[in-house]
Amino acid sequence: MVMIELLVVLAAIFLGARLGGIGIGFAGGLGVLVLTLGFGMTPGTIPIDVILIIMSVIAAIAAMQVAGGLDYLVSLAEKVLRSNPKQVTFLAPVVTYVMTLFAGTGHTAFSTLPVIAEVAKEQGIRPSRPLSIAVVASQIAITASPISAALVMMSGMLEKYQVSYLQILLICIPTTFIACMVGAFVAQFMGKELADDEVYQARLEKGLVKLKGNQKVEIKPGAKTSVVIFLLSILAVVIYATAISDTVGLIENPVLPRNEAIMVFMLTAATIIAFWTKIDTSAVLNAATFKSGMSACICVLGVAWLGDTFVSNHIDGIKELAGGILTDHPWTLAVVLFFASMLLYSQAATTAALIPSALALGVSPEAALASFAAVSALFVLPTYPTLLAAVEMDDTGSTRIGKAVFNHPFVIPGVVTITVSVLLGFVVANLVL
């Protein structure tokens, strides 16, 4: 019976992967329906706090986008890339990493990918090199962002192990950033030089490759203000979460717990942005970041609920079967997270589905944090939106997906980046905790 129930879980995940995008959340709900009404299992816990945090953060980000804040950040990113264009392979991941770190969503990379491709072309650099590691950096930075759903979720899980919010950031930010730079070093040697690429030469002869130069983007009057307000709200979240943590203890018995504080700060930021910059709040509903964020909410709801339903009903058997392996060889958790995230297409969904089970099986907080970056293997299957956008925006044809599906330029930099991050994570986590 357990095997049949496991097949239901896997079938739901497979169906969700086939549907794509928000479909993984839909299929998760279907799986819960089959497990509960079909097999009499007790429904698992719904990660309500995480979903509400995602909604609150996305509300603030979308308000900033409508106010022109993202356009302003992209203009700054272009200045950084053009300041030393020959080093675009290293600067590109820095730009996408930092933007994701502060925005809490990797979808901010969409607006910077065209600039990265353009700068690379101008320098005669194969665009697939900076584009591949830029996409990977935008994904792995989720596990280091103070306001990402995945990291907030991880923080909540580790709180009872006396691991503070600040300690998590001290581990995740340096390890993932250094790993991205190692990935960039590897990426700069990938593929033929642009001038020697047959596909590029063929497209060049047909007039399919064009140089657009520096694109002037009109910055709205309230754009800079919206960015400042949003960044101050993130700073407030970090300071408050640190102050109320048990390890720091500046505020004892806080009236406002951490999760609720994040929601309040983010909604307050959205309010101030809307009032100060006089945006049309109805436009927030149509913002690209708002739509992607609401999709993430459904994905987390369905997948996390499905995973917890199965695990909570079989926790004793799972401990007996896999507990020893994970505690004796904690690095295997990173492998499990890597392959799970390939299918779940969400760092938050993978975290919600597997980290609680790993901790329940006896995995140490240090091992869980070290393996955390592995939930970012969204680049393996060439179907993730930012990956597809990078392919589409490179008119040289260097960023292409091979017939074997997995032979595309994102795999090697991505695997290297995650591997380095996990290895560094085990070292740094044992020093910090």
Side-chain angles (χ1 to χ4, degrees):
M1 186 63 71
V2 175
M3 290 304 298
I4 296 174
E5 291 166 352
L6 178 60
L7 286 175
V8 170
V9 174
L10 295 176
I13 292 173
F14 178 76
L15 175 60
R18 287 289 302 273
L19 292 173
I22 199 173
I24 191 73
F26 296 164
L30 172 62
V32 174
L33 174 68
V34 175
L35 291 179
T36 53
L37 297 185
F39 293 88
M41 297 175 71
T42 303
T45 303
I46 301 173
I48 295 175
D49 276 2
V50 173
I51 294 171
L52 294 177
I53 287 171
I54 296 174
M55 293 173 66
S56 304
V57 171
I58 289 300
I61 293 172
M64 181 178 68
Q65 181 179 15
V66 172
L70 285 185
D71 288 336
Y72 174 64
L73 289 175
V74 171
S75 69
L76 293 180
E78 183 164 7
K79 289 179 181 178
V80 171
L81 292 169
R82 292 189 181 281
S83 65
N84 192 355
K86 291 190 180 299
Q87 299 301 322
V88 66
T89 305
F90 288 94
L91 292 176
V94 171
V95 166
T96 55
Y97 182 95
V98 171
M99 289 185 70
T100 300
L101 187 76
F102 287 114
T105 171
H107 290 286
T108 52
F110 280 117
S111 43
T112 58
L113 293 177
V115 181
I116 293 169
E118 196 66 23
V119 172
K121 281 190 298 183
E122 290 171 3
Q123 298 301 314
I125 295 171
R126 187 180 181 88
S128 63
R129 294 171 180 173
L131 285 173
S132 61
I133 188 60
V135 168
V136 170
S138 72
Q139 294 176 358
I140 200 170
I142 287 291
T143 60
S145 171
I147 56 172
S148 75
L151 190 134
V152 169
M153 196 181 309
M154 177 65 88
S155 176
M157 295 170 189
L158 295 179
E159 195 171 23
K160 59 184 176 182
Y161 295 92
Q162 304 303 310
V163 179
S164 73
Y165 188 71
L166 185 60
Q167 285 176 314
I168 294 174
L169 294 178
L170 289 174
I171 294 168
C172 293
I173 292 177
T175 55
T176 53
F177 182 78
I178 293 171
C180 286
M181 293 300 97
V182 175
F185 178 79
V186 172
Q188 70 174 341
F189 299 106
M190 288 178 51
K192 298 179 180 179
E193 294 301 324
L194 190 59
D196 301 326
D197 191 298
E198 298 85 354
V199 174
Y200 167 68
Q201 292 298 337
R203 292 181 64 83
L204 196 61
E205 287 180 10
K206 294 177 183 178
L208 299 176
V209 181
K210 298 179 180 179
L211 287 174
K212 300 175 183 177
N214 196 339
Q215 299 295 301
K216 295 293 183 181
V217 179
E218 183 180 349
I219 305 300
K220 296 180 180 179
K224 295 180 182 179
T225 303
S226 69
V227 171
V228 171
I229 294 169
F230 185 74
L231 293 181
L232 287 175
S233 68
I234 295 175
L235 184 61
V237 166
V238 174
I239 292 174
Y240 185 81
T242 302
I244 66 173
S245 67
D246 293 335
T247 51
V248 176
L250 291 178
I251 302 176
E252 296 183 0
N253 302 316
V255 176
L256 193 64
R258 188 204 54 214
N259 288 354
E260 286 78 358
I262 295 174
M263 299 175 207
V264 167
F265 285 135
M266 289 294 111
L267 290 176
T268 300
T271 303
I272 297 173
I273 290 172
F275 177 79
W276 202 288
T277 63
K278 298 179 174 59
I279 62 171
D280 179 4
T281 52
S282 63
V284 172
L285 303 177
N286 294 317
T289 49
F290 185 84
K291 292 177 180 178
S292 65
M294 293 308 107
S295 174
C297 287
I298 299 299
C299 290
V300 170
L301 169 61
V303 172
W305 197 6
L306 173 64
D308 194 74
T309 297
F310 178 80
V311 171
S312 62
N313 281 268
H314 298 294
I315 187 64
D316 293 333
I318 294 172
K319 280 183 178 180
E320 185 177 342
L321 180 66
I325 297 174
L326 284 172
T327 50
D328 293 341
H329 307 285
W331 58 268
T332 55
L333 174 60
V335 177
V336 173
L337 294 174
F338 184 95
F339 286 103
S341 63
M342 285 170 50
L343 297 175
L344 297 180
Y345 278 170
S346 167
Q347 294 94 332
T350 306
T351 303
L354 296 174
I355 294 297
S357 306
L359 292 171
L361 292 173
V363 172
S364 68
E366 291 87 351
L369 274 173
S371 304
F372 186 33
V375 302
S376 303
L378 284 60
F379 55 82
V380 178
L381 295 176
T383 50
Y384 197 72
T386 48
L387 186 152
L388 292 174
V391 173
E392 184 67 26
M393 291 169 186
D394 180 10
D395 60 9
T396 68
S398 71
T399 312
R400 52 184 180 264
I401 298 168
K403 293 181 180 179
V405 181
F406 293 102
N407 58 330
H408 55 78
F410 302 88
V411 171
I412 294 176
V415 172
V416 168
T417 300
I418 285 182
T419 301
V420 172
S421 183
V422 171
L423 292 174
L424 287 175
F426 275 102
V427 175
V428 177
N430 282 290
L431 292 175
V432 173
L433 300 182

